[in-house]
Amino acid sequence: MLKKLFSAALIAAVGMSVQAALPFTVKDGKVDYTVDSLGNRMLDYSTCGYRSSEAPIPDVAVAVYVAYKPGDNSERIQRAIDYVSSLPISSNGERGAVLLGPGEFEISSSLRISASGVVLRGSGVNSTVIKKTGVSRGALIYVEGVYDPVIKDTIEIADSYVPVNSTTINFGGKNNLRAGDRVFILRPSTAEWIKEMGCDIFGGGISAISWKPSDIDLRWDRTIVDVKSPSVTLDAPVTMALDKKWAETVIMNYSWPGRISEVGIENLTLVSDYNTRYPKDEDHCWDGITIANAENCWVRKVDFHHFAGSAVLLQPTTSKVTVEDCAATEPVSEIGGGRRIVFQTLGQQNLFQRCYSKNGINDFAAGFIAPGPNAFVQCDAEESLGFSGAIDAWAPGLLFDIVNIYGNNLILKNLGQDTNGAGGNTGNSTF
C-alpha cells in the first residue's frame, strides 16, 4: 500500500517538463527509476510499517475489560496488562487486548507492556482518557522488550561497492546463512569517511563536537529471504552505499529472544498533567509512548495532550512499527532543544501516516543515526516552531510524502552545528 501511495504521489506531482531533472521518469502512469553508473537509485520505502506493510493491522480480541473507577488506576490497569501478558500466545502472535471503558483514568505510575501479543485499547479517542499525574519526566506508556541479541556468526562481504537500494549482498566464500535468518548489517564509521563527509570539524577550530570513529556506525536489521551462494537477498534495501573504500561492512547472523512483537496501543487519549500556574512547566510526563526492543507493533487512533517531549518515540531497537491517525496538541514545555520532538523515529522500517501535530518544534523527525528506511506519509503540522527532517546526525533513507509543515520548514541537509540541542552532532539525511 505504501509503495502504491508513493508512486501515485510522484505521478500526480511531477510534470513532464521537469522529469529530466529527477531520478525517475513517468510513462503511461508508471514510475521508472533512474539507475546511475554505480547502480544507485531512489530508495524503495514500501517495506516501512507493521509487517513491512504487507499485512493489515489486526483487530485483536478482548481478553479483559477494565471499567472506570475514580482515583489512582495505575495498579488496576497494570494488573490487567500483566494478566494478558501471561496468557498463551496464538499462532499469529496474539494474546489479547485490555479494553478500558469510557472515562478519565488517572494513573500515578507509568504503564509497561513487556510481552508480545498484548494490546491496550480504549473505548474511543473521545471516550477513554489516561491521565498521568506526578512530576516524573518519564513516559506514560512503555512498550519494551529486552535487549539481548546473540551474535551467531560474523561474515565480511565481498562486494567492493553495494549501491543504495540494493537487497543483494555477495560473500567471498561459503557461509551458513539460510533463508529466514535474521541479520545485522554493520557499517562502521571510519576516520576517513568522517573526513570525506566534512564532519571531522565544524568550523572555528572546534573539534569537540565533531564525529569520531565508531560514533556514527550504522546497523541495519534485516531478514534473509533467499540464498544463492555466494549471495544473499534481503527483505529490505540498504539505505546508503556500502563502499569498501571507506569501511569494511560485515553481516552478523543473530537471535534476539527478548525482542517483542504484535503489541498495539489504540483508541485512546493520553494526557500529561502539569502545574497550570506555569505554562512552560517541565516537571511532568514528557513522552506519551516509547517503544524499544520491539518489531511489528502499532500505535493508532491515539490523541496526545500536554507532553513536553515526544508523543511517540521509536527507539533505535524498533523496526516495522506503524503509527497512524494520531494527533498531538497543546504541548507544555520550554521552547528549546530536545523538547517537542513530536513523532520521532531512531529505528528503521517505521511508518508514520496521517499524523497531526500542533505547536511542536521538530514535529516529524528522524533522530541520531536512524538507519532507515523510515517514512512519514500524509502528515500535517500547524504552528510549528521548528523544522522537520533529520535532527541529529546521519539519518539515511528518510521519506516525506505529502507532508505539510505550516509555519516552518522541512529540512534535508547537513545542519553543521545547528542541531536540536540534544546531541551536539550535525544532522544529515538522504532520501
Side-chain angles (χ1 to χ4, degrees):
M1 178 62 183
L2 179 59
K3 189 171 186 178
K4 293 179 180 177
L5 253 180
F6 183 40
S7 298
L10 290 175
I11 294 169
V14 177
M16 296 299 292
S17 61
V18 299
Q19 286 187 29
L22 295 171
F24 55 83
T25 57
V26 180
K27 184 177 181 180
D28 298 329
K30 296 182 179 180
V31 177
D32 184 21
Y33 295 98
T34 303
V35 179
D36 70 10
S37 60
L38 295 174
N40 299 293
R41 53 146 276 190
M42 180 177 283
L43 195 64
D44 178 0
Y45 292 89
S46 64
T47 65
C48 293
Y50 172 79
R51 294 204 170 274
S52 300
S53 290
E54 294 180 350
I57 295 172
D59 292 318
V60 178
V62 174
V64 62
Y65 178 78
V66 180
Y68 168 75
K69 283 187 179 181
D72 188 356
N73 285 268
S74 304
E75 184 178 348
R76 296 179 66 234
I77 299 175
Q78 188 62 56
R79 189 164 59 243
I81 291 171
D82 294 344
Y83 166 73
V84 176
S85 299
S86 72
L87 296 177
I89 197 163
S90 68
S91 59
N92 55 9
E94 300 172 5
R95 299 182 195 269
V98 176
L99 176 61
L100 303 182
E104 182 177 277
F105 293 76
E106 286 195 0
I107 60 172
S108 61
S109 301
S110 301
L111 303 175
R112 295 181 179 273
I113 299 176
S114 55
S116 295
V118 179
V119 174
L120 180 61
R121 179 184 301 147
S123 297
V125 171
N126 298 317
S127 297
T128 304
V129 177
I130 303 178
K131 183 177 183 179
K132 175 68 170 59
T133 62
V135 297
S136 170
R137 291 188 175 188
L140 196 154
I141 299 173
Y142 290 92
V143 176
E144 289 187 344
V146 177
Y147 184 75
D148 58 354
V150 178
I151 305 301
K152 300 177 181 179
D153 196 11
T154 300
I155 307 164
E156 292 187 3
I157 69 171
D159 296 291
S160 59
Y161 189 92
V162 179
V164 174
N165 199 63
S166 178
T167 57
T168 301
I169 294 179
N170 294 295
F171 301 93
K174 292 183 179 180
N175 61 75
N176 295 319
L177 296 174
R178 299 290 184 267
D181 283 354
R182 301 300 299 267
V183 294
F184 295 131
I185 304 166
L186 177 63
R187 194 273 188 188
S189 52
T190 62
E192 295 79 11
W193 176 72
I194 291 170
K195 184 175 181 180
E196 177 70 13
M197 294 297 299
C199 295
D200 54 333
I201 190 166
F202 293 140
I206 300 173
S207 61
I209 63 173
S210 64
W211 293 359
K212 306 296 189 298
S214 80
D215 281 353
I216 315 296
D217 293 355
L218 281 187
R219 191 175 74 171
W220 293 275
D221 186 357
R222 299 290 186 263
T223 299
I224 293 176
V225 296
D226 191 25
V227 178
K228 293 181 180 177
S229 187
S231 69
V232 296
T233 301
L234 308 172
D235 64 327
V238 294
T239 58
M240 63 176 285
L242 308 178
D243 191 339
K244 275 197 173 183
K245 178 180 179 181
W246 304 118
E248 292 280 352
T249 302
V250 298
I251 283 188
M252 299 182 292
N253 187 7
Y254 77 87
S255 63
W256 194 339
R259 180 164 54 187
I260 62 176
S261 63
E262 302 295 332
V263 175
I265 312 293
E266 55 191 31
N267 297 348
L268 287 163
T269 293
L270 303 183
V271 177
S272 174
D273 194 17
Y274 68 99
N275 190 334
T276 56
R277 293 178 298 173
Y278 303 104
K280 295 183 179 180
D281 178 34
E282 295 193 334
D283 290 327
H284 63 95
C285 192
W286 270 53
D287 299 324
I289 301 169
T290 71
I291 302 179
N293 306 316
E295 65 176 357
N296 294 318
C297 298
W298 67 90
V299 179
R300 60 176 172 176
K301 296 181 181 178
V302 179
D303 282 3
F304 303 84
H305 303 293
H306 306 157
F307 293 94
S310 297
V312 180
L313 172 57
L314 304 182
Q315 299 284 6
T317 52
T318 59
S319 178
K320 298 184 285 293
V321 176
T322 291
V323 181
E324 66 179 18
D325 300 314
C326 293
T329 60
E330 303 172 298
V332 177
S333 74
E334 298 285 347
I335 308 302
R339 296 159 175 83
R340 306 191 189 191
I341 310 173
V342 185
F343 294 100
Q344 180 179 192
T345 175
L346 294 95
Q348 52 198 295
Q349 292 179 262
N350 295 322
L351 169 64
F352 295 79
Q353 62 181 358
R354 299 185 301 274
C355 291
Y356 172 80
S357 173
K358 186 174 182 179
N359 292 133
I361 296 178
N362 307 117
D363 300 279
F364 309 114
F368 185 71
I369 53 174
N374 289 295
F376 293 85
V377 178
Q378 296 175 315
C379 294
D380 288 277
E382 288 189 299
E383 299 180 29
S384 182
L385 303 174
F387 69 92
S388 289
I391 63 172
D392 189 13
W394 186 252
L398 181 57
L399 171 69
F400 287 84
D401 184 11
I402 318 178
V403 174
N404 302 298
I405 313 294
Y406 297 101
N408 222 286
N409 299 311
L410 173 63
I411 296 179
L412 299 167
K413 70 174 185 178
N414 189 327
L415 299 171
Q417 297 184 45
D418 186 18
T419 67
N420 71 356
N425 281 321
T426 179
N428 295 265
S429 61
T430 59
F431 72 111

